[in-house]
Amino acid sequence: MTARDYAIQCFKDEAAAVLGLIQKLDEKFEQAVELMYDCKGKIIVTGVGKSGHIGAKIAATLSSTGTPSFFINPLDVFHGDLGVMTADDVVLAISNSGQTDELLRFIPMVLHMHIPIIGMSGNPESLLAKYSTCHLNVGVEKEACPMNLAPTSSTMAQLAMGDALAIALIEKRGFQPRDFAQFHPGGELGKRLLTTAQDVMFKEDLPVLPPEMHLGEAIILVSKGKLGLGVAVVDDKIVGLITDGDIRRAMEKWQAEFFDRTVSDIMTRTPKTVKADTKITEIQRIMNKYKVHSVLVVDDDNHLLGVVDHYSCMI
């Protein structure tokens, strides 16, 4: 077999392990979600070795989707970290065998504090399962490892179950993209969801022109503005908008008479406007819905503050 063949077999084995979890889902999953949803404190995820690495990722996913969580190594509990736990917390304990000594020595402390335990293991008859408030079975038939030794399919199953918990909680909480952005302000999604019109709008040397201006003059101002548009203003208030497309169509329509026409003859009298605090995502929605390439940023009195075009939204 080639290296590619081994990779394909690994993917198949791990995919089969994840799909095998479907038949293991029962009311205990619902109970686990309810425990986490009703938790007044934090979700404390714990595990040893590879299960610990998976636990750290699950804790990070939960925290970034609205469920305050963090990972703790059970070995550290014996050296002072128990102080971070309160009776309002819920523990998610992960172990493939459910018999991991370091993890089991941590369980009595949790039970003494009357903290609910969600156990996740591949053995529903294990001691972890026995002492858990509810137990999630993530057992797999075999590891993807050809020797059936290295944690591969089993850790994939743990990770998938953790993601399933997170997704269920996202739906139960009604978690929205804007909420996600607050936890990811540095990412591309966060930038798009938190950036507003005033952050990206053009506001210097805007192509402002009176409605009575002849189109021959208007062409020059629109060209200098480099935004492909001109804003018709009367008494500092917006009354219309012309685009370079409007100008081209007017030239085709009127030809020799074009230079006798004015801005008011071709302007759109109800251009799309937004406020300075409008999010970029909402501006993109408006542009897509109305098939426009620019929107005008205005204040409460319809005074022009700036222009946001299609390229401004590409952050």
Side-chain angles (χ1 to χ4, degrees):
M1 293 176 64
T2 66
R4 181 173 179 274
D5 293 327
Y6 290 124
I8 292 173
Q9 187 59 51
C10 177
F11 295 156
K12 288 181 177 180
D13 288 342
E14 294 194 351
V18 172
L19 291 175
L21 295 180
I22 295 175
Q23 62 187 12
K24 294 181 173 67
L25 285 177
D26 54 20
E27 71 282 353
K28 294 177 182 178
F29 181 83
E30 302 283 350
Q31 184 183 359
V33 171
E34 289 297 328
L35 281 172
M36 298 171 81
Y37 179 75
D38 293 334
C39 178
K40 304 301 182 184
K42 308 166 294 296
I43 306 299
I44 298 174
V45 187
T46 187
V48 179
K50 303 298 188 297
S51 294
H53 295 307
I54 295 299
K57 190 275 179 186
I58 292 174
T61 299
L62 289 169
S63 289
S64 69
T65 51
T67 300
S69 312
F70 67 88
F71 175 79
I72 186 170
N73 189 315
L75 298 175
D76 295 331
V77 171
F78 301 104
H79 301 283
D81 283 8
L82 187 64
V84 304
M85 297 175 59
T86 72
D88 291 329
D89 298 333
V90 170
V91 167
L92 173 60
I94 307 171
S95 167
N96 183 41
S97 68
Q99 300 288 129
T100 307
D101 181 62
E102 298 91 338
L103 186 63
L104 292 178
R105 284 192 287 136
F106 168 53
I107 297 301
M109 303 178 192
V110 180
L111 294 175
H112 178 72
M113 297 177 69
H114 303 289
I115 297 175
I117 300 173
I118 300 171
M120 183 189 297
S121 82
N123 182 3
E125 304 300 324
S126 65
L127 288 175
L128 175 60
K130 177 181 178 180
Y131 290 111
S132 295
T133 308
C134 65
H135 177 261
L136 302 176
N137 185 356
V138 290
V140 300
E141 291 187 7
K142 66 184 184 70
E143 300 286 4
C145 168
M147 297 179 292
N148 198 31
L149 294 175
T152 45
S153 296
S154 58
T155 49
M156 182 62 68
Q158 293 171 355
L159 183 60
M161 186 63 78
D163 285 344
L165 290 169
I167 296 304
L169 287 165
I170 286 174
E171 293 294 336
K172 195 170 181 64
R173 294 186 192 284
F175 200 75
Q176 299 296 315
R178 62 178 177 272
D179 302 313
F180 188 84
Q182 292 177 356
F183 295 103
H184 301 76
E188 180 180 348
L189 175 63
K191 289 180 181 179
R192 288 197 295 111
L193 290 170
L194 298 179
T195 302
T196 62
Q198 64 185 350
D199 295 324
V200 299
M201 68 184 184
F202 295 94
K203 53 187 177 181
E204 303 294 336
D205 300 321
L206 297 175
V208 174
L209 31 105
E212 66 274 11
M213 175 178 284
H214 285 95
L215 292 180
E217 298 176 81
I219 290 177
I220 298 173
L221 289 181
V222 169
S223 178
K224 286 183 177 180
K226 298 181 180 180
L227 293 174
L229 56 80
V231 185
V233 173
V234 174
D235 296 330
D236 292 329
K237 294 188 177 182
I238 298 169
V239 296
L241 173 76
I242 65 171
T243 66
D244 50 8
D246 294 328
I247 293 174
R248 287 195 302 272
R249 287 186 288 273
M251 293 179 71
E252 294 174 0
K253 178 180 179 181
W254 287 310
Q255 298 184 15
E257 298 177 17
F258 171 80
F259 291 97
D260 296 325
R261 299 289 179 168
T262 65
V263 169
S264 62
D265 291 328
I266 67 170
M267 69 183 186
T268 299
R269 299 179 184 274
T270 55
K272 302 305 174 188
T273 61
V274 299
K275 297 299 179 60
D277 60 355
T278 303
K279 298 291 192 297
I280 288 298
T281 49
E282 173 61 14
I283 294 175
Q284 289 176 317
R285 187 193 68 79
I286 292 172
M287 289 180 177
N288 291 333
K289 180 178 180 179
Y290 296 102
K291 302 297 189 291
V292 296
H293 296 286
S294 302
V295 296
L296 306 181
V297 185
V298 300
D299 61 16
D300 292 335
D301 296 318
N302 206 36
H303 295 144
L304 180 65
L305 300 178
V307 175
V308 176
D309 65 9
H310 170 73
Y311 297 104
S312 305
C313 299
M314 298 174 64
I315 58 175

